[in-house]
Amino acid sequence: MIVADIQKNSLKEQRLQFIRNHQQAFDVEPIYPLRLFEDFVMGVEGDCTIEASCKIELDKLIASRFMLLFKDKAQEWQKYLTQSPACFQQVENRVGVQLDYSLLQRFLGDNFDF
């Protein structure tokens, strides 16, 4: 039991270190939403992968792009999918921040069945 907990914590720390290594390599500022994403990632149990990427728009490098992928289909993906909007709402709690959910709503529809 103790060994399993140590392994889980080690995996979580590796995920966090991966995010921070990407930030350092591409000189990404520690912006508020990124800290919330780190907290979200640290709360994920089970086997998942973090993918970091960059996007170039005209002459601007956007390097604070991360994706969380679940490997084990038996995991409670519905739970994490419903936690995602909660993470977005935390971002919106900051004064002056408002997210546009229209594309997500269009994709999910009114009665999306996970």
Side-chain angles (χ1 to χ4, degrees):
M1 184 75 147
I2 294 174
V3 173
D5 288 340
I6 291 171
Q7 288 174 336
K8 285 180 188 178
N9 288 335
S10 176
L11 284 174
K12 289 179 181 186
E13 288 298 325
Q14 287 175 8
R15 294 175 196 154
L16 187 60
Q17 190 59 49
F18 176 77
I19 293 170
R20 295 203 173 145
N21 287 346
H22 180 82
Q23 285 178 283
Q24 186 176 14
F26 289 96
D27 198 23
V28 175
E29 292 182 36
I31 57 176
Y32 175 72
L34 197 48
R35 293 291 176 234
L36 294 175
F37 178 71
E38 288 177 353
D39 292 343
F40 176 72
V41 168
M42 291 298 285
V44 171
E45 300 291 336
D47 197 8
C48 66
T49 299
I50 298 175
E51 180 180 295
S53 66
C54 297
K55 178 180 179 181
I56 299 175
E57 274 185 15
L58 301 173
D59 62 344
K60 186 176 180 180
L61 173 67
I62 303 168
S64 56
R65 297 169 49 107
F66 296 93
M67 185 170 26
L68 186 66
L69 305 162
F70 296 98
K71 293 181 179 181
D72 184 2
K73 294 179 182 179
Q75 289 183 38
E76 299 176 45
W77 58 270
Q78 296 97 333
K79 172 184 166 186
Y80 296 119
L81 195 54
T82 57
Q83 285 179 344
S84 298
C87 186
F88 297 151
Q89 288 169 349
Q90 286 181 332
V91 172
E92 284 186 306
N93 284 336
R94 187 154 189 174
V95 175
V97 175
Q98 186 174 0
L99 301 177
D100 180 1
Y101 293 97
S102 61
L103 291 175
L104 181 61
Q105 184 63 38
R106 208 164 75 195
F107 173 74
L108 295 177
D110 293 331
N111 298 312
F112 189 79
D113 182 7
F114 294 109

